[in-house]
């Protein structure tokens, strides 16, 4: 049995191994796909506001480039290591292949607690990091985007820094930019919107209605907060949400819009002054008696213990890698469907692709066009995953999704062949 705290990269490789049986990928190509193509580690020294200097570690991993330019976010978090970034870059590769975007997968990050930095320090950190990785990224080579604790402003600084070196504005080097400088309408809420769409699709598939369904969401950053808003709009009852400071639980439903606006301005849930709700721990939230649990924070939060105690009917993975492979086994055994991260949180990168297309064509779309295209692609992929799961008698949705993704990637490698 896998150890309870597997490294994310081990987790990802086990997921690939399980899918290999159903994908039938050539063993040589498969072996190649298990290893990152390259990872850069950079030193990011910055001047702090008090005149001191501090050095941070930054990374960018390009995992698989068989299907096109590398694509994936940049996260700022104390847990960032080369290994974590590598696993996340792998997941990006399979995510992009699953939704059939013409991209490979990448991920970057800096080990930093952003709450300890001022806005100016964060700007200097971002610019210095961008300089560090700028020979690796580019509109045709590797296109970063936001991830944990990075946002449109971070992307604006990255775009500007890259453009300064190029001598002209290059909007399509990053996605998730503010709309004023080439961002697309709909990108900020895209991941949360996608989580809402796949949740609704799953309910439909199970012959249930989202109307009145109870939802608990762990993590109330951009993704969690938008998922909460959009699910509430679709008729679901969001009864519990949490951030790093606390969880809030109200069986009658929380004031999701008020909470999302408050959190959007940087407010901690522990200090929320709005309608009162019961305080609840992060683990208790995951095992609440609700219809849907949505982990939207960090990796490895659904362990075997949580999986055994889980009362929800379905899990929708808004975070990357929230379920350990050992916990996956428990949930398969217990017949609890899990919509895997590489399907559930793909809305963000789908709209990133639409932003990049608009930048490349120098033609802007409307919000309605973006949302319609997001929904079309996500619903099509959801149906494809359900189709594989049913037709090939695959035990779970994750393995079904991975089998489609690695098969698509392997075909690209087979056609391109091995160099030299
Ligand atoms: N960071 C997001 C993810 O994990 C978005 C990546 C992108 O838009 O390139 O999917």
């Amino acid at each position: 049995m896998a150890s309870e705290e597997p490294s994310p990269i081990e987790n990802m490789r086990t997921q690939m191994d399980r899918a290999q049986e159903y994908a039938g990928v050539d063993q040589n190509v498969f072996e190649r796909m298990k290893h990152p193509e390259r990872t850069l580690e950079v030193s990011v020294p910055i001047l702090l506001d008090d005149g001191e200097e501090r050095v941070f570690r930054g990374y960018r991993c390009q995992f698989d480039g068989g299907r096109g330019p590398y694509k994936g976010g940049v996260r700022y978090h104390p847990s960032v290591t080369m290994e974590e970034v590598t696993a996340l870059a792998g997941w990006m590769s399979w995510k992009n292949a699953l939704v059939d975007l013409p991209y490979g997968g990448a991920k970057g990050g800096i080990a930093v607690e952003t709450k300890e930095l001022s806005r100016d320090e964060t700007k200097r950190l971002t610019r210095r990091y961008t300089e560090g990785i700028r020979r690796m990224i580019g509109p045709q080579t590797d296109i970063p985007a936001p991830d944990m604790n990075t946002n449109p402003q971070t992307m604006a600084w990255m775009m500007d820094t890259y453009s300064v070196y190029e001598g002209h504005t290059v909007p399509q080097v990053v996605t998730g930019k503010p709309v004023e400088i080439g961002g697309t309408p709909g990108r900020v809420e895209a991941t949360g919107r996608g989580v809402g769409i796949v949740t609704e699709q799953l309910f439909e598939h199970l012959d249930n209605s989202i109307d009145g369904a109870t939802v608990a969401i762990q993590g109330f950053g951009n993704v969690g907060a938008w998922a909460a808003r959009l699910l509430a709009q679709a008729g679901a009852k969001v009864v519990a949400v949490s951030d790093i400071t606390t969880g809030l639980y109200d069986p009658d439903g929380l004031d999701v819009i008020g909470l999302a606006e408050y959190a959007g301005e940087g407010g901690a849930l522990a200090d929320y002054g709005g309608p009162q709700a019961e305080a609840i721990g992060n683990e208790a939230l995951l095992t609440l008696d609700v219809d849907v649990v949505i982990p939207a924070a960090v990796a490895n939060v659904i362990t075997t213990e949580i999986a055994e105690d889980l009362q929800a009917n379905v899990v929708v993975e808004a975070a990357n890698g929230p379920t350990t492979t050992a916990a996956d086994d428990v949930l398969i055994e217990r017949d609890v469907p899990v919509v895997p991260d590489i399907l559930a949180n793909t809305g963000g990168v789908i709209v990133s692709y639409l932003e990049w297309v608009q930048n490349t064509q120098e033609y802007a779309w409307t919000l309605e066009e973006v949302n319609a295209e997001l929904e079309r692609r996500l619903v099509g992929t959801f149906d494809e995953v359900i189709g594989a799961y049913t037709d090939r008698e695959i035990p779970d949705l994750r393995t079904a999704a991975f089998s489609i993704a690695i098969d698509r990637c392997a075909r690209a490698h087979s056609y391109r062949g091995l160099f030299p």
Side-chain angles (χ1 to χ4, degrees):
M1 189 167 137
S3 81
E4 199 41 69
E5 261 296 322
S7 72
I9 189 83
E10 266 175 47
N11 221 358
M12 189 206 70
R13 289 203 177 107
T14 308
Q15 292 165 350
M16 291 176 73
D17 285 338
R18 291 182 175 188
Q20 156 71 337
E21 189 186 328
Y22 301 94
V25 172
D26 173 86
Q27 198 52 43
N28 289 319
V29 173
F30 187 61
E31 210 39 54
R32 241 197 287 160
M33 284 164 46
K34 283 175 129 178
H35 302 279
E37 290 177 18
R38 63 189 68 77
T39 311
L40 180 67
E41 176 172 1
V42 291
S43 197
V44 191
I46 62 159
L47 190 65
L48 300 178
D49 294 342
D50 65 7
E52 293 284 306
E53 273 185 34
R54 203 160 144 202
V55 188
F56 296 88
R57 306 312 302 161
Y59 308 91
R60 183 76 183 167
C61 172
Q62 298 176 336
F63 199 96
D64 191 288
R67 304 184 69 257
Y70 306 92
K71 181 92 190 79
V74 171
R75 70 168 52 174
Y76 291 173
H77 196 268
S79 77
V80 166
T81 58
M82 185 182 277
E83 208 201 352
E84 187 191 74
V85 163
T86 304
L88 290 163
W91 276 315
M92 267 329 291
S93 308
W94 321 134
K95 194 188 299 193
N96 293 337
L98 177 65
V99 277
D100 210 4
L101 302 178
Y103 288 140
K107 199 78 159 204
I110 305 176
V112 57
E113 177 52 80
T114 43
K115 285 188 198 75
E116 290 168 7
L117 298 186
S118 69
R119 179 186 157 90
D120 274 350
E121 288 166 342
T122 307
K123 177 164 71 178
R124 290 195 285 275
L125 183 81
T126 302
R127 288 193 180 280
R128 186 62 194 241
Y129 169 70
T130 308
E131 195 291 316
I133 64 164
R134 82 185 159 84
R135 294 158 200 83
M136 201 172 176
I137 62 173
Q140 307 302 332
T141 46
D142 182 352
I143 305 117
D147 197 85
M148 278 167 79
N149 299 322
T150 55
N151 54 35
Q153 176 62 76
T154 323
M155 294 305 113
W157 291 326
M158 287 190 80
M159 186 275 258
D160 185 71
T161 306
Y162 184 86
S163 298
V164 164
Y165 282 99
E166 292 300 300
H168 58 97
T169 302
V170 189
Q172 66 273 40
V173 67
V174 292
T175 57
K177 300 176 291 292
V179 283
E180 289 81 355
I181 51 167
T184 184
R187 176 63 185 87
V188 171
E189 61 270 39
T191 312
R193 183 175 295 281
V195 170
I197 292 171
V198 296
T199 309
E200 281 188 69
Q201 289 299 303
L202 182 68
F203 269 68
E204 228 170 81
H205 171 73
L206 299 171
D207 279 333
N208 271 326
S209 164
I210 194 79
D211 203 36
T214 51
V215 183
I217 303 179
Q218 184 196 54
F220 210 57
N222 174 269
V223 177
W226 273 106
R229 277 172 101 134
L230 294 163
L231 279 164
Q233 217 174 57
K237 193 155 68 163
V238 179
V239 296
V241 299
S242 67
D243 68 4
I244 202 155
T245 62
T246 192
L248 299 177
Y249 173 54
D250 184 344
D252 295 327
L254 295 164
D255 167 25
V256 167
I257 295 189
L259 280 164
E261 280 171 2
Y262 169 76
E265 282 157 17
L269 292 184
D271 304 327
Y272 184 58
Q276 285 313 298
E278 188 187 324
I280 185 173
N282 258 308
E283 293 203 351
L285 178 140
L286 293 173
T287 52
L288 278 175
D289 185 9
V290 289
D291 296 309
V292 191
V293 156
I294 303 182
V298 289
N300 286 341
V301 291
I302 303 191
T303 56
T304 46
E305 269 165 31
I306 298 281
E308 273 153 14
D309 294 346
L310 195 114
Q311 297 191 69
N313 303 324
V314 301
V315 176
V316 179
E317 295 185 335
N320 289 308
T323 310
T324 68
T325 42
D328 254 341
D329 290 335
V330 175
L331 294 172
I332 293 170
E333 183 71 35
R334 294 191 51 207
D335 235 351
V336 179
V338 177
V339 183
D341 45 9
I342 66 165
L343 173 60
N345 69 29
T346 310
V349 72
I350 293 176
V351 176
S352 272
Y353 167 63
L354 302 179
E355 179 175 331
W356 182 75
V357 166
Q358 292 173 66
N359 294 158
T360 306
Q361 298 183 339
E362 298 180 350
Y363 182 82
W365 299 10
T366 62
L367 175 62
E368 290 69 31
E369 286 169 321
V370 169
N371 283 346
E373 187 62 14
L374 166 64
E375 181 151 356
R376 186 186 74 76
R377 286 174 181 267
L378 209 43
V379 170
T381 309
F382 182 87
D383 289 345
E384 206 179 343
V385 172
I386 294 288
Y389 168 74
T390 325
D391 300 346
R392 292 189 234 155
E393 294 179 13
I394 301 177
D396 60 314
L397 295 174
R398 186 188 317 283
T399 308
F402 264 75
S403 70
I404 296 168
I406 63 174
D407 179 54
R408 203 164 266 156
C409 236
R411 281 168 196 267
H413 282 296
S414 296
Y415 275 119
R416 293 179 67 157
L418 183 60
F419 177 85

